[in-house]
Every structure is written in C-alpha cells, then in structure tokens.
C-alpha cells in the first residue's frame, strides 16, 4: 500500500514529543472534570473536548496532538479528559461533565459500543455534537464517526503481513486490547474470515486480551508462548499490545522464531525493527486522525455538515473529505513500516 502524496507530506513533517502532545490538556480525575479546559486557540468559538479510551497511551497522545493543532487553526478551545484505564463505563462521568459544562463538540474513542450510549444521548440532547474516532459506538449514539481506515483494509494488511512473515503456514495468535473494543473486535472477525478463506495452512490458535495495558499485554505474550510452543506468529492490532509483545520476544528464545506484527507507531517500534524482532507492522497516522476528527467536529457545530451521506468539508492541510454511509468519514489506507522506511517518520 502507498500513502497519497498528501498523506506522505503530512507524515514526513511530524515531530512529536510527549510533552507537546499533552500541552494544555487536563489530567483527568475521578470527578470527570474538564469540559471547560484551557484555550487551544484565540477565538474560543467552538469548544472541543477530546475523550480517548484512556490517558497515558502514546497512540492517543499523538491523536490529541493533532486535534489540538486543528482546534488552534480554526480558533476554538480545547481540552483532553479521560480515565486512567480503558474500561467500558469509565468514560461516562467525563461525558456527563462535558455536557453539563456546555461543550459544543465531544470527540470520543469508545471503550464499548453500548456502555456509554445513554450518556452520549444525554449530551446530544443538551446540544453537544458527538464525533467518535478510532473506535465507534452504536451509530445511533453519535453524530459522526471518523474512521482511521476501513475495517477490511486494516484486517487485510495484518493478515498479509503475518502470512508473508511465516511463509503462509503455522500457528498464530492475536493479542488484542479489551474484549469490548468495537474496532478490535471488528478487525478480528474480518481477520478470522480472511485466514479461513485465503490462508488454509495458517491456524489461529488463540485470542487474548491485554486491555491496552503494557504489563498485562507483556504477561499475555509470555503466556501465549508458554501455552503454544509451536506458535509462529503474534498479531496485535493495538499499539500498546504490539510494543509489549515485541519487548517480551526481543529478549526471549522466541526472537527470530516467532513473528510479531500488527498495528504500532514508528517511535514505539523502531528499536524492535532495528534489532530484528519485528520485520514489518502497519498503522495510519494517529495525529492526522485526531486532526481530521477535530475539523469534522467543527464542521458539525458550524452546520457545514449534518452527517448526511454526501456532505463535504475541508480539513485544513488534509484537504477535502466526504461523509459516507452511516455518517462516517474515512481517513485513508493503512501504511506499512519496516527497516527501509521507519526512520522517515517521527510519531
């Protein structure tokens, strides 16, 4: 797969540090506070609250950086709030507080497709536009979904990579995030079908869940290798999981024998690509995803789009986008990272 020139230019310009990613963001707390937030722009015309699955996740740090940059560009106020752990109900108090504080746009990566629906419905009734990104809710619970890539494309690239790396034969396992994650489950279902239909000599022997926690994912990797001594590959469709799996394999007897692939960020995975633990992995640009989600939220608030199929809007440096069926907007195709190109990226 190849990025468009536009996507490549945006990626090549990235320079991310954790401090910058979190600048101006609230830390989140038990009271769900934060809807007012610190100003991310001059005018404060549109108030935007970013609610990732959990705080302290490098993937979401990067998407938040993009959303804040976009809000700066269109002149709104921006804050990030969220739970420490990615559990189904943990986002509810933050949604409630954002609505109570009159937030105009709430951007959410859902920990569960249904658990936060009641809270989101109340927020929408209060006038808040709800844009999901990365992980969707039931479509009835939000106004728009900004999808990082098609589910089919994400599933296909991961199956293609593991098949290439293990010679299209052998036992593989999946290390996912939480058992309730909408996006993870959709990708896994499609991967299972692709494997069954197109790769008869690959056997999926296990699917385990690291809950997007580094230590849990590390431990699950160890358990997979112990439980399945003939394992040839691990697919981890989560940035936390793939980094933890690679870290474990890099210092174990499985290095060079068990392939690790999935979805990761270049900065997390660089050392494992260079030391030979990981041959190739994939992802979209999470900074662009957050950037697009913020511009989409602004367009919803301003009435430029309503979420109807065929609506169109401009998302700053990323250009023009059109709303597809089921009120979805697609960022683009996944991109493969390997030793030949990984140093071209910094996120």
């Amino acid at each position: 797969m190849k990025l468009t020139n536009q996507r490549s230019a945006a990626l090549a310009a990235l320079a991310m540090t954790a401090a910058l990613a979190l600048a101006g963001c609230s830390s989140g707390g038990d009271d769900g506070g934060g809807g007012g937030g610190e100003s991310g722009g001059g005018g404060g015309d549109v108030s935007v609250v970013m609610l990732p699955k959990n705080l302290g996740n490098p993937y979401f740090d990067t998407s938040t950086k993009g959303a804040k940059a976009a809000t700066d560009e269109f002149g709104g106020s921006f804050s990030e709030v969220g739970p420490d752990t990615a559990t189904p109900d943990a986002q509810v108090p933050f949604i409630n507080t954002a609505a109570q504080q009159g937030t105009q746009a709430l951007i959410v990566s859902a920990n569960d497709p249904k658990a936060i629906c009641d809270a989101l419905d109340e927020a929408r009734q209060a006038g808040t536009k709800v844009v999901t990104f990365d992980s969707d809710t039931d479509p009835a619970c939000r106004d728009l979904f900004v999808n990082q890539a098609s589910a089919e494309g994400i599933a296909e690239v991961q199956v293609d990579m593991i098949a290439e790396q293990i010679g299209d034969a052998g036992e593989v396992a999946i290390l996912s995030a939480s058992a309730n994650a909408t996006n993870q489950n959709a990708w896994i279902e499609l991967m299972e079908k692709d494997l069954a239909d197109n790769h008869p000599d690959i056997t999926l022997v296990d699917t385990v869940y690291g809950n997007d926690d580094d230590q849990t994912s590390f431990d699950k990797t160890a358990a997979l290798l112990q439980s399945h001594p003939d394992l040839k590959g691990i697919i981890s469709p989560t940035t936390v999981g793939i980094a933890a799996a690679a870290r474990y394999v890099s210092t174990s007897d499985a290095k060079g024998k068990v392939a690790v692939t999935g979805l990761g960020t270049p900065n997390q995975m660089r050392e494992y690509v260079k030391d030979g633990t990981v041959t190739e992995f994939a992802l979209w640009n999470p900074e662009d995803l957050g950037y697009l989600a913020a511009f989409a939220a602004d367009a919803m608030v301003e009435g430029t789009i309503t979420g109807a199929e065929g609506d169109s809007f401009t998302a700053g440096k990323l250009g023009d986008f059109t709303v597809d069926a089921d009120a979805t907007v697609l960022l683009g195709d996944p991109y493969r990272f390997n030793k030949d190109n990984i140093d071209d990226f910094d996120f």
Side-chain angles (χ1 to χ4, degrees), residues 33-318:
E38 295 184 14
S39 176
D45 293 334
V46 175
S47 55
V48 177
V49 169
M50 192 84 163
L51 177 56
K53 291 180 180 178
N54 61 307
L55 299 181
N57 182 325
Y59 172 86
F60 289 117
D61 290 347
T62 309
S63 60
T64 294
K65 178 186 174 184
K68 185 179 184 301
T71 309
D72 286 345
E73 289 184 28
F74 59 71
S77 63
F78 180 85
S79 64
E80 180 193 49
V81 298
D84 293 326
T85 57
T87 55
D89 296 326
Q91 294 172 308
V92 170
F94 299 96
I95 297 168
N96 293 339
T97 299
Q100 291 163 6
Q101 294 182 344
T103 297
Q104 292 171 286
L106 181 63
I107 305 173
V108 184
S109 177
N111 281 325
D112 185 279
K114 297 183 181 297
I116 62 174
C117 276
D118 288 345
L120 291 178
D121 285 341
E122 291 181 10
R124 294 169 71 199
Q125 290 169 10
T128 299
K129 297 296 184 182
V130 173
V131 174
T132 54
F133 80 108
D134 175 70
S135 182
D136 199 11
T137 60
D138 183 316
C141 307
R142 45 77 170 167
D143 297 298
L144 195 73
F145 172 46
V146 178
N147 195 357
Q148 56 269 42
S150 70
E152 292 79 8
I154 295 167
E156 181 181 358
V157 73
Q158 293 182 90
V159 170
D160 286 349
M161 288 187 299
I162 200 67
E164 291 163 9
Q165 292 170 33
I166 67 171
D168 208 16
E171 295 183 356
V172 300
I174 293 173
L175 170 62
S176 185
S178 70
N180 298 307
T182 315
N183 53 354
Q184 302 279 315
N185 290 337
W187 302 335
I188 290 169
E189 183 177 349
L190 288 165
M191 284 192 283
E192 290 171 343
K193 185 176 188 305
D194 191 356
L195 287 168
D197 291 347
N198 303 310
H199 303 274
D201 294 327
I202 297 179
T203 303
L204 178 62
V205 295
D206 210 347
T207 297
V208 297
Y209 302 93
N211 296 321
D212 261 353
D213 177 77
D214 177 75
Q215 188 61 50
T216 303
S217 299
F218 185 87
D219 293 342
K220 292 289 186 178
T221 302
L224 278 175
L225 294 173
Q226 183 175 8
S227 301
H228 305 283
D230 295 325
L231 197 67
K232 293 293 183 64
I234 296 173
I235 306 171
S236 187
T238 162
T239 60
V240 175
I242 190 175
R247 191 172 84 254
Y248 182 88
V249 171
S250 69
T251 59
S252 75
D253 292 338
K255 182 178 178 180
K257 301 175 184 176
V258 177
V260 177
T261 193
L263 305 179
T265 67
N267 287 355
Q268 285 179 298
M269 300 303 296
R270 184 172 285 105
E271 65 178 291
Y272 305 116
V273 169
K274 291 192 171 185
D275 74 8
T277 302
V278 174
T279 300
E280 193 170 51
F281 65 97
L283 196 66
W284 47 93
N285 181 350
E287 184 170 353
D288 281 353
L289 183 64
Y291 183 93
L292 176 57
F295 266 102
D298 180 59
M300 291 292 301
V301 172
E302 298 292 350
T304 305
I305 60 174
T306 64
E309 185 173 1
D311 280 356
S312 62
F313 66 101
T314 301
K317 66 183 180 182
L318 297 181

